[in-house]
Amino acid sequence: MTTNHIVIILASFMIFFLVVPALPADAESRGFRGTMIRRARTDTTAINFTQAAQESHRRLSFLAARSQVDKQSSASHLDSNNSNTETVPLWMDGVVGAYDMEFSIGTPPQELTALADTGSDLIWTKCGAGAAWGSSSPSYHPDTSSTFTKLPCSHRLCTALRSVARCAAGGTECDYTYSYGLGGGDRPQYTQGFLGSETFTLGGDAVPGVGFGCTTASEGNYGTGSGLVGLGRGPLSLVSQLHAGTFMYCLTGDASKASPLLFGSLATMTGAGVQSTGLLASTTFYAVNLRSITIGSATTAGVGGPNGVVFDSGTTLTYLAEPAYTEAKAAFLSQTNLTQVEDWDGFEACYRKPSNGRLLSSAVPAMVLHFDGGADMALPMANYVVEVSDGVVCWVVQKSPSLSIMGNVMQKNYLVLHDVRRSLLSFQPANCDSYKANEASGSPRPLYQFSITMLLCFYIYNNMYTSVF
């Protein structure tokens, strides 16, 4: 072998190994784009806060119940082989205030909407036709898709369901039953079906092999959507199955507009105002330490571990446990210069809205949340003072007997990034009504990128070989 041969070979290997390490091993460096729409958008000017208060309180109860199961479980929910907390599913904020995610499933794609829920993991959708579903939302029909398969009991996602899964003889089908407790009139609330695998389409990108629940029967208040998309931290969630590592949303202030939901390489923040705080490892939820609250000139107690305050997209209102709630409410009441009116559906700081041209913002104190790591969230007034009825405004925070939750109203017009891999929650002020995410799809697809690399190596090798010989 001549010296020229050796130079050619070494040059080719050098190019290959300089470029190939940048290639993604899986979907982690891909970006996926979805959208979220607020439920019941017939009135685009306001949420029905009477209904929102009732449904948010029920959801709070189920979040607290699941938190108790977390504490009793001997193994962590964050272990990829264990998802025992799925035995306590969550009430879905069925009619108002929650956000549905738009996506397609199957081949050819079937368009659906389902509750985007950061408080749970399992993805499930109504399957097949049936009188029980009514006509409020479409169902997924597995028999019309060429890419649908049932998951056996031996599959890791069936193992993750643990005690809510049932396996018949032979183990070819992983069945599940979720019990939601008692609803109105003491009627049991539940959803049941079997696990399957399908191709999901998000913003034009097809993702094969996503595990989900094909629900065939249910009883309960599931609103206008076709199911639920779990965005939690466990192995069953869409975030985990996309290998995204991160996801981010920007909840619009205008309920008539869609909110962007971004995964993987598209879930990034740049520019001024980005702040981050650590996620608590002691809970399955996206919870952080709220060190203190500043209301006007007063600084009041926060909510620390082990539960912290949960950032939850599925709850409309914000809840604070004691003593944080009483201290913050007292500071708000003492510094609000409006005519106070009677309490309203659990809201304990309500006022007559000024009607003489006076600005509401000049009559209420500022509110800033202080998190671990020096992250401060200075809230726009619209995020913590809401109009619950004609001429009546209330502080959007209510008292919790258990968990503290930062609901979706308080998260409006913020980019909120959940970094599962680094256990961080980041936020940045934004005009979500006009926010445009980076149109680039992140890193190129692995096969495409690998092909370009190999063509480049071949081109250089061929030219070097021709010049030498």
Side-chain angles (χ1 to χ4, degrees):
M1 181 179 293
T2 67
T3 302
N4 288 332
H5 281 93
I6 296 173
V7 170
I8 292 170
I9 294 172
L10 290 176
S12 299
F13 273 98
M14 183 178 296
I15 294 169
F16 183 82
F17 284 106
L18 282 174
V19 178
V20 167
L23 302 178
D26 50 28
E28 291 182 2
S29 57
R30 290 182 61 180
F32 301 94
R33 185 187 310 275
T35 55
M36 299 162 65
I37 55 174
R38 185 181 285 279
R39 290 188 167 184
R41 294 189 298 170
T42 53
D43 178 1
T44 61
T45 62
I47 297 170
N48 184 327
F49 279 100
T50 295
Q51 288 181 291
Q54 295 168 356
E55 293 173 2
S56 290
H57 187 75
R58 284 193 290 263
R59 182 173 169 84
L60 167 66
S61 299
F62 285 100
L63 281 164
R66 180 174 168 184
S67 179
Q68 287 300 114
V69 173
D70 288 352
K71 294 177 181 179
Q72 296 167 4
S73 177
S74 59
S76 171
H77 174 72
L78 300 181
D79 182 344
S80 62
N81 295 318
N82 185 9
S83 183
N84 195 39
T85 53
E86 291 300 334
T87 57
V88 181
L90 304 177
W91 176 270
M92 299 199 299
D93 196 348
V95 181
V96 294
Y99 287 85
D100 280 332
M101 178 179 171
E102 298 178 311
F103 63 100
S104 297
I105 180 173
T107 308
Q110 302 174 41
E111 295 183 0
L112 300 175
T113 63
L115 179 74
D117 189 8
T118 55
S120 61
D121 296 328
L122 180 68
I123 308 163
W124 68 265
T125 182
K126 300 186 299 187
C127 281
W133 298 137
S135 59
S136 61
S137 58
S139 296
Y140 160 68
H141 297 274
D143 55 334
T144 65
S145 173
S146 62
T147 47
F148 171 77
T149 57
K150 289 185 177 181
L151 293 183
C153 285
S154 58
H155 197 277
R156 63 180 182 83
L157 294 183
C158 186
T159 303
L161 278 173
R162 298 180 67 83
S163 59
V164 301
R166 303 189 319 276
C167 294
T172 58
E173 181 176 300
C174 179
D175 298 321
Y176 62 85
T177 299
Y178 268 21
S179 173
Y180 285 74
L182 297 178
D186 289 338
R187 296 180 64 183
Q189 315 280 298
Y190 69 89
T191 178
Q192 67 183 37
F194 54 88
L195 285 187
S197 174
E198 249 303 8
T199 296
F200 277 53
T201 302
L202 307 172
D205 286 322
V207 186
V210 176
F212 73 107
C214 197
T215 289
T216 55
S218 69
E219 177 71 40
N221 179 19
Y222 302 119
T224 58
S226 298
L228 184 147
V229 178
L231 299 174
R233 301 165 74 179
L236 291 157
S237 78
L238 183 62
V239 182
S240 296
Q241 293 195 61
L242 290 178
H243 303 284
T246 59
F247 74 97
M248 177 176 77
Y249 52 68
C250 196
L251 303 181
T252 60
D254 184 347
S256 67
K257 295 183 178 180
S259 299
L261 174 63
L262 308 169
F263 298 89
S265 62
L266 293 182
T268 58
M269 295 179 179
T270 58
V274 178
Q275 301 193 63
S276 301
T277 186
L279 291 171
L280 297 179
S282 55
T283 175
T284 67
F285 304 127
Y286 293 105
V288 297
N289 269 329
L290 176 60
R291 297 183 64 87
S292 61
I293 304 170
T294 295
I295 297 181
S297 59
T299 299
T300 63
V303 183
N307 293 322
V309 61
V310 178
F311 275 68
D312 183 44
S313 65
T315 304
T316 306
L317 309 184
T318 290
Y319 291 92
L320 287 176
E322 295 290 12
Y325 173 76
T326 295
E327 290 187 20
K329 184 185 74 170
F332 188 84
L333 288 170
S334 66
Q335 297 178 79
T336 299
N337 187 19
L338 292 171
T339 302
Q340 191 169 358
V341 298
E342 293 182 355
D343 296 349
W344 187 284
D345 292 316
F347 297 106
E348 297 182 333
C350 295
Y351 301 88
R352 184 66 56 192
K353 184 179 179 181
S355 58
N356 55 0
R358 180 185 177 198
L359 292 177
L360 181 61
S361 58
S362 66
V364 298
M367 184 171 179
V368 183
L369 307 179
H370 306 287
F371 301 100
D372 268 356
D376 297 328
M377 180 179 277
L379 297 169
M381 188 201 65
N383 288 29
Y384 62 95
V385 177
V386 297
E387 188 165 1
V388 299
S389 179
D390 288 342
V392 176
V393 295
C394 296
W395 189 44
V396 78
V397 183
Q398 294 196 3
K399 179 168 61 177
S400 170
S402 51
L403 288 181
S404 295
I405 298 173
M406 185 166 179
N408 57 48
V409 168
M410 195 168 277
Q411 297 180 52
K412 289 189 305 181
N413 286 317
Y414 271 93
L415 290 169
V416 181
L417 186 146
H418 306 71
D419 190 331
V420 180
R421 189 177 297 107
R422 296 194 300 160
S423 291
L424 287 176
L425 186 138
S426 302
F427 52 85
Q428 180 184 31
N431 183 349
C432 296
D433 290 353
S434 59
Y435 175 76
K436 300 293 183 183
N438 179 14
E439 292 299 326
S441 60
S443 299
R445 301 295 187 268
L447 181 59
Y448 172 80
Q449 199 172 28
F450 181 79
S451 300
I452 292 297
T453 303
M454 293 305 296
L455 285 173
L456 177 63
C457 289
F458 177 80
Y459 175 81
I460 295 174
Y461 182 93
N462 184 64
N463 277 272
M464 293 178 67
Y465 186 91
T466 301
S467 65
V468 173
F469 300 100

